[in-house]
């Protein structure tokens, strides 16, 4: 994993740019997928799903998420009235017709981020609560060595001053605990994709 400059995301011709102009780019990261080709983005997404969600992360990440959800429950951050379709409109309401008709992607009840769309080279998921409306965008890009690699951009629209303070407060935890663990999980998912996809197929 390596952190990238914002321009490496904004310069790509992603469809997401068409309806996220009110969002700011919080993070852009790349993940190593050696040997990947231009048609392997769906394979990578399937391998990531087979590798499991937050419940299969290392204990420090699970602990952080547990604390966050507990705080959210106590302070009402995650009430339905603060979510997508209530406090904020879903990005799906802004999609042009061709994207509305495109595959949406698979949702999982254990994943708070919900699918917006899933194409051959990019996908988007969103989450909203009382602190922020955020989008996780995944893209498939040819790297300097010729192989394709996974890139993740996190887009945010904080909910006022409280939302901006919240994003600043969690930044160290994202950088030093969550993202490194996510990197190991996703890069291992690519490396072990054949075994992971076999297990995913068996569970269906």
């Amino acid at each position: 994993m390596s952190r990238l400059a914002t321009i490496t995301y904004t310069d790509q011709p992603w469809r997401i740019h068409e309806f996220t102009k009110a969002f700011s780019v919080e993070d852009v990261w790349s993940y190593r997928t050696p040997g990947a080709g231009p048609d392997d983005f769906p394979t990578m997404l399937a391998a990531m799903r087979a590798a499991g969600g937050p419940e299969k992360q290392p204990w420090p990440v699970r602990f952080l998420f547990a604390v966050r959800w507990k705080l959210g429950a106590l302070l009402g951050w995650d009430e339905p009235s603060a979510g997508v379709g209530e406090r904020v409109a879903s990005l799906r309401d802004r999609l042009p017709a061709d994207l509305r008709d495109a595959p949406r992607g698979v949702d999982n009840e254990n994943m708070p981020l919900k699918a917006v769309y899933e194409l051959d080279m990019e996908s988007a998921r969103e989450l909203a609560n009382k602190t922020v409306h955020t989008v996780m965008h995944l893209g498939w890009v040819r790297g300097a060595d010729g192989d394709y690699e996974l890139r993740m951009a996190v887009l945010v629209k904080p909910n006022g001053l409280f939302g901006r303070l919240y994003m600043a407060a969690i930044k160290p935890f994202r950088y030093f605990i969550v993202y490194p663990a996510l990197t190991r999980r996703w890069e291992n998912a690519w490396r072990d994709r054949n075994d992971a996809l076999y297990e995913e197929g068996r569970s269906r």
Side-chain angles (χ1 to χ4, degrees):
M1 175 190 76
S2 60
R3 190 181 181 199
L4 303 177
T6 298
I7 196 172
T8 61
Y9 165 76
T10 55
D11 272 3
Q12 291 289 333
W14 303 123
R15 297 296 306 274
I16 193 77
H17 298 320
E18 299 171 25
F19 37 86
T20 54
K21 291 180 173 57
F23 289 73
S24 59
V25 182
E26 182 75 11
D27 295 311
V28 183
W29 300 89
S30 67
Y31 300 86
R32 295 182 295 269
T33 51
D39 300 326
D40 284 329
F41 184 55
T43 300
M44 181 60 186
L45 294 182
M48 290 161 62
R49 287 193 289 266
E55 74 281 359
K56 292 191 176 181
Q57 291 290 347
W59 74 263
V61 177
R62 297 199 308 272
F63 175 76
L64 284 177
F65 277 105
V67 170
R68 165 59 185 84
W69 301 134
K70 185 64 174 179
L71 283 173
L74 290 173
L75 300 175
W77 292 349
D78 305 311
E79 294 175 355
S81 60
V84 172
E86 296 291 339
R87 185 181 71 80
V88 299
S90 172
L91 289 182
R92 284 197 60 83
D93 296 341
R94 314 174 200 177
L95 296 182
D98 64 321
L99 284 184
R100 284 199 304 271
D101 294 338
R104 180 171 182 167
V106 178
D107 275 331
N108 185 317
E109 63 181 13
N110 296 320
M111 284 289 291
L113 288 155
K114 300 306 178 184
V116 178
Y117 66 85
E118 188 173 298
L119 307 177
D120 291 340
M121 301 290 274
E122 66 174 296
S123 71
R125 292 177 173 270
E126 66 179 339
L127 165 71
N129 51 44
K130 284 191 176 179
T131 65
V132 71
H133 185 186
T134 187
V135 179
M136 182 182 74
H137 179 267
L138 298 176
W140 200 238
V141 179
R142 187 173 185 178
D145 60 359
D147 289 341
Y148 277 69
E149 64 186 24
L150 181 70
R151 292 189 183 176
M152 177 185 72
V154 177
L155 314 178
V156 297
K157 189 177 180 183
N159 187 15
L161 176 61
F162 172 63
R164 291 192 291 273
L165 291 174
Y166 172 83
M167 291 302 299
I170 68 171
K171 190 171 187 176
F173 299 102
R174 297 199 323 269
Y175 279 27
F176 296 112
I177 298 177
V178 176
Y179 285 157
L182 194 65
T183 296
R184 289 189 293 271
R185 194 86 188 157
W186 286 1
E187 292 185 350
N188 286 344
W190 172 256
R191 186 193 64 207
D192 302 331
R193 62 193 179 280
N194 291 331
D195 291 340
L197 293 175
Y198 173 72
E199 291 299 326
E200 184 184 57
R202 288 184 60 192
S203 66
R204 289 180 176 173

